[in-house]
């Protein structure tokens, strides 16, 4: 896995590439620091880290327009940051603060950012997959040419909601792009133990009349290329696409997972496919970035994440009256 | 008798019943090789093998239906929800098929199945992962809803559930899994379905509760005792069928009742119980029945908001004062 793109023609400009590397590094650092805050019990509940999968979100969201939409599951920090969410808002959310991206009501699994077209982290497996088709329906209804990107894990391939939505999306030629992040694991269950075939491209694409596109999710430029193709289809009214991005999560399923189901060797070997390391060396090879610039970038990101943590720590707790706020648009009348 | 955890008590119940009856099997997400997301089924794959301890894909609607189908022809499945919040994906199977099969077929098919798993406001899990589903399921004729609050009841009630010939919604609590208590090792130790337990006898007021809220209620009873108020605490255990006789007997003695629950107030369990008591024993009441419930809002992530939303000892004591006109 994880051979980087052939050198023939780089899919992106130098500026864009450097920006993507920066985003991936930011996500990685954000996640590492989140793990520490979780251990200090400042972040609570369920917290799922994205480390190892960054190229999937950054490479695909990186080719969207500002007016497109993004949905994902509960492993959502990376997608939110790739879509431009301020890390301060994300960190404050995880610390349950009122300055968080969901005012402290959603937590790690429920990041939202309407301004950026970030339609949420969603914590019930498969539940958001029809929602993405719904946004695509609205785009078509209004006569727009935006598209909606929707991410989920290989485990979500087993939910009925996915299959119902896929059929309808294809039937109605909706501008939605489904991306399964196949990290080979549904919590502690390896792919071959939860799916009749390990070929998810087959299960998700042709069966529903969508192109099924297999891509190395650790190769950010390939990720960008296949997403661009799918976007072209969507914008031209040709209907949905299904992308299977093969990748690997470096950490446990959530913070409480001891990962007994995989060997140290397997996890170590996967690190060879670290999308960040791969992209750094590619950019160096091309002469698009040098060691001092890279070091400076790392330092800046460290500072940015530290600033986000400081911001979150000092942000106020939500006021008690906010319990009853944002429940309905009409004044909420508690039945108590 | 041995002192074991609530999760171990659940496991013992399943293991003993599986040893006794080959028709009983366990199916759910991560129950086998991972040994259970909450370690309830730890070691069961080793003991019973993959024929009877079965990992499923994340397909709740599918595997619940598979369980019901298997039960219609004589197997006795135990289906684990990783948490009951995920049972909503399978709502159709539970409410349409499990509950109605016997009735719709004019008694030809019964569905001896147990749906079990934890539930409740576990601690900053947010709105989608903190459901208390008891009122939804207790609403449905055809379903039996059980909620143990102690390790002993966890075992005795689950064994009774597995031996029952009807579909049982067996709701555990995430925050009780690690609790310890004395549990019988009699292999025929059963807690009868539909029987409440008087956990603390008292004269002045009846406190009616279930599941995790039993702890808060007992703590409140201690506090009230310091003020000279002698509270009787009843653990419902069985939400449906309700042990109305035990409630009426108690209220006929104390003439006052407060119902304490972790669920939402409107159309909740307490509303239903309050109605049943009023129908049966209105003349016995010296004060309106009061309720302590979670606030009528979705469950927030913030720990500050979550705590404010839940019942606590102070809120129980305040309602007791109210029914005693203090
Ligand atoms: C309907 C439902 N069932 C079970 C769960 C518990 N759960 C959360 S994530 C998960 C595994 C999902 O794996 P996958 O879809 O591959 O995504 P990944 O975690 O690898 O990103 C499970 C079983 C849930 N959140 N929702």
């Amino acid at each position: 896995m994880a051979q980087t793109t052939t050198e023939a023609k780089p899919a992106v400009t130098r500026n864009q590439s450097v920006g993507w590397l920066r985003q991936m590094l930011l996500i990685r650092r954000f996640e590492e620091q989140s793990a520490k805050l979780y251990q200090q019990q400042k972040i609570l509940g369920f917290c799922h880290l994205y480390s190892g999968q960054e190229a999937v979100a950054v490479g695909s969201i990186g080719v969207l327009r500002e007016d497109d939409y993004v949905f994902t599951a509960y492993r959502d920090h990376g997608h939110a940051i790739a879509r431009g969410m301020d890390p301060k808002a994300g960190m404050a959310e995880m610390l349950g603060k009122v300055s968080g991206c969901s005012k402290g009501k959603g937590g790690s699994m429920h990041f939202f950012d309407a301004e950026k077209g970030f339609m949420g982290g969603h914590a019930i497996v498969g539940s958001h997959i029809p929602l993405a088709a719904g946004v695509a329906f609205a785009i078509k209804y209004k006569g727009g040419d935006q598209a909606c990107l929707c991410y989920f894990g290989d485990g979500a391939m087993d939910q009925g909601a996915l299959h119902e939505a896929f059929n309808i999306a294809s039937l109605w030629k909706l501008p939605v792009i489904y991306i399964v992040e196949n990290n080979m694991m549904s919590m502690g269950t390896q792919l071959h133990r939860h799916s009749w075939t390990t070929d998810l491209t087959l299960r998700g694409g042709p069966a529903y009349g969508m192109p099924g596109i297999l891509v190395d999710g650790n190769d950010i430029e390939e990720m960008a290329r296949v997403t661009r193709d799918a976007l072209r289809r969507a914008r031209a009214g040709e209907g949905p696409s299904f992308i299977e991005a093969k990748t690997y999560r470096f950490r446990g399923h959530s913070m409480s997972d001891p990962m007994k189901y995989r060997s140290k060797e397997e996890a170590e070997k996967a690190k060879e496919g670290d999308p960040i390391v791969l992209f750094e060396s590619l950019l160096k090879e091309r002469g698009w970035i040098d060691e001092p610039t890279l070091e400076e970038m790392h330092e800046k990101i460290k500072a940015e994440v530290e600033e986000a943590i400081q911001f979150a720590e000092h942000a106020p707790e939500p006021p008690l009256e906010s319990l009853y706020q944002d429940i309905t648009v009409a004044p909420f009348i508690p039945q108590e | 008798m041995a002192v074991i955890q609530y999760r171990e008590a659940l496991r013992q119940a399943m293991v003993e019943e599986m040893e006794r009856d080959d028709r009983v099997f366990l199916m759910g997400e991560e129950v086998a090789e991972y040994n259970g997301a909450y370690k309830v089924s730890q070691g069961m794959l080793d003991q019973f093998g993959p024929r009877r301890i079965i990992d499923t894909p994340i397909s709740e609607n599918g595997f619940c239906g598979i369980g019901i189908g298997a039960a219609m022809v004589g197997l006795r499945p135990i289906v684990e929800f990783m948490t009951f919040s995920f049972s909503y994906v399978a709502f159709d199977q539970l409410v349409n098929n499990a509950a109605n099969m016997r009735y719709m077929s004019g008694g030809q098919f019964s569905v001896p199945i147990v749906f079990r798993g934890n539930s409740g406001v576990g601690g900053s899990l947010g709105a989608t992962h903190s459901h208390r589903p008891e009122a939804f399921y207790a609403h449905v004729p055809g379903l039996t809803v059980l909620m143990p609050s102690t390790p002993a009841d966890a075992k005795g009630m689950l064994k009774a559930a597995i031996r029952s010939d009807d579909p049982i919604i067996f709701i555990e609590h995430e925050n009780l899994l690690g609790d310890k208590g004395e549990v019988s090792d009699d292999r025929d130790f059963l807690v009868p379905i539909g029987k409440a337990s008087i956990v603390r006898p008292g004269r002045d007021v009846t406190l009616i509760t279930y599941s995790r809220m039993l702890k808060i209620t007992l703590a409140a009873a201690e506090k009230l005792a310091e003020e000279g108020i002698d509270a009787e605490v009843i653990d419902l255990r069985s939400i449906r069928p309700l042990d109305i006789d035990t409630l009426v007997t108690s209220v006929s003695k104390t003439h006052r009742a407060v119902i304490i629950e972790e669920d939402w107030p409107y159309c909740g369990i307490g509303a239903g119980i309050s109605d049943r008591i009023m129908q049966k024993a209105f003349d016995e009441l010296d004060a309106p029945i009061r309720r302590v419930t979670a606030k009528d809002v979705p469950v927030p992530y913030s720990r500050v908001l979550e705590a404010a939303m839940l019942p606590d000892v102070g809120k129980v004591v305040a309602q007791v004062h109210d029914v005693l006109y203090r």
Side-chain angles (χ1 to χ4, degrees):
Chain A
M1 215 169 66
Q3 282 306 307
T4 41
T5 341
T6 46
E7 263 314 282
K9 56 169 185 358
V12 285
T13 64
R14 174 176 181 167
N15 261 350
Q16 202 169 21
S17 297
V18 172
W20 286 355
L21 178 61
R22 213 195 72 81
Q23 269 194 337
M24 288 203 288
L25 286 167
L26 176 61
I27 295 169
R28 183 69 59 88
R29 180 76 187 171
F30 185 91
E31 298 293 59
E32 283 166 358
Q33 297 305 97
S34 300
K36 286 190 191 148
L37 292 165
Y38 193 89
Q39 271 138 19
Q40 295 165 20
Q41 296 185 3
K42 288 182 177 164
I43 296 175
L44 304 167
F46 289 134
C47 180
H48 309 80
L49 302 182
Y50 195 55
S51 300
Q53 303 183 204
E54 294 91 341
V56 179
V58 174
S60 49
I61 292 174
V63 295
L64 291 185
R65 289 196 324 230
E66 271 186 16
D67 58 348
D68 291 324
Y69 297 93
V70 174
F71 277 90
T72 190
Y74 44 84
R75 198 179 298 287
D76 58 352
H77 316 154
H79 307 84
I81 291 174
R83 193 57 181 155
M85 178 185 284
D86 186 341
K88 288 198 196 90
M91 200 52 92
E93 186 58 33
M94 290 204 282
L95 267 58
K97 300 300 182 69
V98 69
S99 337
C101 59
S102 308
K103 296 189 192 161
K105 291 193 168 147
S108 161
M109 301 196 289
H110 306 108
F111 279 16
F112 287 86
D113 192 341
E115 224 169 79
K116 303 267 192 259
F118 184 69
M119 308 300 289
H122 295 268
I124 298 297
V125 169
S127 189
H128 63 299
I129 294 169
L131 304 184
V135 164
F137 176 88
I139 291 169
K140 191 169 174 183
Y141 188 90
K142 296 184 204 167
D145 74 336
Q146 302 104 297
C148 183
L149 239 59
C150 177
Y151 303 84
F152 45 87
D154 47 285
M157 292 289 300
D158 307 331
Q159 273 293 349
L162 176 143
H163 297 277
E164 296 177 25
F166 274 23
N167 178 52
I168 296 176
S170 227
L171 183 68
W172 295 346
K173 289 206 177 340
L174 301 179
V176 57
I177 298 166
Y178 285 115
I179 301 182
V180 59
E181 302 195 45
N182 181 2
N183 59 19
M184 319 294 283
M185 273 161 297
S186 167
M187 201 170 151
T189 306
Q190 311 272 352
L191 180 61
H192 70 275
R193 295 185 52 243
H194 77 78
S195 177
W196 73 266
T197 167
T198 53
D199 184 349
L200 296 184
T201 305
L202 176 73
R203 267 184 82 195
Y208 293 100
M210 293 186 234
I213 305 135
L214 176 65
V215 61
D216 176 356
N218 294 346
D219 181 339
I220 193 165
E221 296 192 350
E222 270 298 284
M223 232 14 258
R225 188 181 62 76
V226 298
T227 311
R228 270 205 192 107
D229 288 348
L231 282 167
R232 190 201 47 72
R233 265 177 63 78
R235 299 203 204 285
E238 290 166 25
S241 302
F242 177 77
I243 297 171
E244 177 188 358
K246 287 214 173 172
T247 183
Y248 197 84
R249 74 169 146 71
F250 291 165
R251 319 227 11 161
H253 168 68
S254 68
M255 292 302 298
S256 56
D257 174 12
M259 288 197 285
K260 287 191 182 140
Y261 47 85
R262 66 189 193 192
S263 65
K264 275 223 165 59
E265 297 76 61
E266 178 188 319
E268 278 310 309
K269 189 150 188 326
K271 296 236 158 117
E272 290 169 18
D274 185 333
I276 297 185
V277 175
L278 291 177
F279 201 44
E280 274 184 0
S281 46
L282 181 70
L283 296 193
K284 279 194 209 155
E285 228 169 81
R286 284 187 192 149
W288 283 5
I289 198 162
D290 56 18
E291 201 50 54
T293 321
L294 202 53
E295 257 168 50
E296 194 189 318
M297 192 186 272
H298 278 266
E299 286 313 310
K300 277 203 179 134
I301 284 163
K302 263 192 200 165
E304 186 177 352
V305 174
E306 186 49 35
E307 195 191 335
I309 296 171
Q310 289 309 320
F311 171 83
E313 300 243 29
H314 292 105
E317 300 284 353
L320 290 188
E321 61 271 18
S322 73
L323 257 183
Y324 290 94
Q325 288 164 359
D326 295 324
I327 298 176
T328 49
V329 176
F332 179 70
I333 304 162
Q335 305 297 308
E336 53 188 29
Chain B
M1 284 283 185
V3 174
I4 58 173
Q5 285 185 355
Y6 184 98
R7 63 159 59 75
E8 293 168 323
L10 294 167
R11 185 187 314 141
Q12 269 189 10
M14 291 193 286
V15 166
E16 288 177 12
E17 293 309 302
M18 284 183 62
E19 284 169 349
R20 189 176 163 268
D21 186 346
D22 183 65
R23 297 170 302 171
V24 180
F25 65 96
L26 173 68
M27 164 165 83
E29 291 156 22
E30 309 289 354
V31 297
E33 295 202 3
Y34 198 79
N35 283 297
Y38 293 85
K39 302 295 166 237
V40 172
S41 58
Q42 182 128 40
M44 289 178 69
L45 175 65
D46 284 347
Q47 181 177 350
F48 295 104
R51 173 173 166 263
R52 300 179 71 197
I53 307 293
I54 304 163
D55 277 329
T56 64
I58 315 176
S59 311
E60 285 84 358
N61 197 34
F63 66 72
C64 286
I66 288 169
I68 295 167
M72 287 172 70
V73 291
L75 296 188
R76 304 179 78 84
I78 306 169
V79 174
E80 175 175 304
F81 291 117
M82 195 177 279
T83 87
F84 252 98
S85 288
F86 309 145
S87 74
Y88 296 175
V89 177
F91 202 64
D92 170 58
Q93 289 297 341
L94 273 52
V95 169
N96 275 324
N97 289 341
N100 292 334
M101 197 59 69
R102 187 166 171 81
Y103 193 72
M104 288 188 306
S105 68
Q108 296 180 76
F109 288 103
S110 56
V111 183
I113 191 168
V114 177
F115 297 100
R116 53 154 290 273
N118 70 68
S119 73
V121 182
S124 285
L125 302 179
T128 57
H129 279 52
S130 303
H131 286 291
R132 295 122 303 151
E134 54 267 28
F136 285 152
Y137 293 122
H139 196 59
V140 184
L143 296 180
T144 296
V145 181
L146 306 180
M147 296 186 76
S149 54
T150 65
D153 283 347
K155 180 170 179 186
M157 287 165 66
L158 184 53
K159 284 170 72 79
I162 296 168
R163 291 188 196 186
S164 160
D165 291 327
D166 290 310
I168 310 271
I169 307 292
F170 192 91
I171 307 172
E172 300 143 19
H173 198 293
E174 178 164 349
N175 294 14
L176 295 178
L177 290 169
D179 279 15
K180 288 188 169 169
E182 289 221 329
V183 176
S184 165
D185 34 33
D186 177 353
R187 296 180 78 84
D188 286 318
F189 164 63
L190 303 175
V191 173
I193 290 170
K195 199 80 201 86
S197 130
I198 299 171
V199 181
R200 183 188 195 284
R203 285 183 321 266
D204 300 331
V205 59
T206 302
L207 306 184
I208 302 164
T209 190
Y210 59 91
S211 191
R212 173 183 42 174
M213 284 299 133
L214 177 64
K215 287 187 182 177
I216 301 251
T217 305
L218 285 172
E222 288 306 310
K223 192 117 205 185
L224 291 162
E226 289 165 20
E227 302 172 15
I229 298 170
D230 187 18
E232 176 146 300
V233 176
I234 298 180
D235 177 3
L236 290 174
R237 305 198 289 196
S238 177
I239 306 295
R240 184 190 186 103
L242 183 69
D243 183 359
I244 187 68
D245 292 345
T246 296
L247 301 186
V248 166
T249 307
S250 177
V251 169
S252 303
K253 174 174 68 174
T254 64
H255 309 294
R256 295 151 207 281
V258 176
I259 305 167
I260 301 99
E261 59 198 307
E262 192 176 317
D263 201 359
W264 289 309
Y266 192 53
C267 304
I269 299 297
I273 293 172
S274 166
D275 171 67
R276 303 280 334 265
I277 295 173
M278 297 238 278
Q279 303 301 330
K280 294 259 176 189
F282 182 75
D283 293 339
E284 294 291 347
L285 291 170
D286 284 347
I289 295 172
R290 291 288 177 214
R291 294 170 61 201
V292 181
T293 68
K295 296 229 155 88
D296 190 29
V297 300
V299 182
Y301 166 76
S302 145
R303 80 173 101 193
V304 180
L305 294 182
E306 190 186 84
M309 176 204 181
L310 286 174
D312 58 30
V313 171
K315 290 174 189 167
V316 177
V317 169
Q319 291 306 319
V320 170
H321 286 163
D322 194 73
V323 298
L324 286 159
Y325 303 114
R326 293 229 182 164

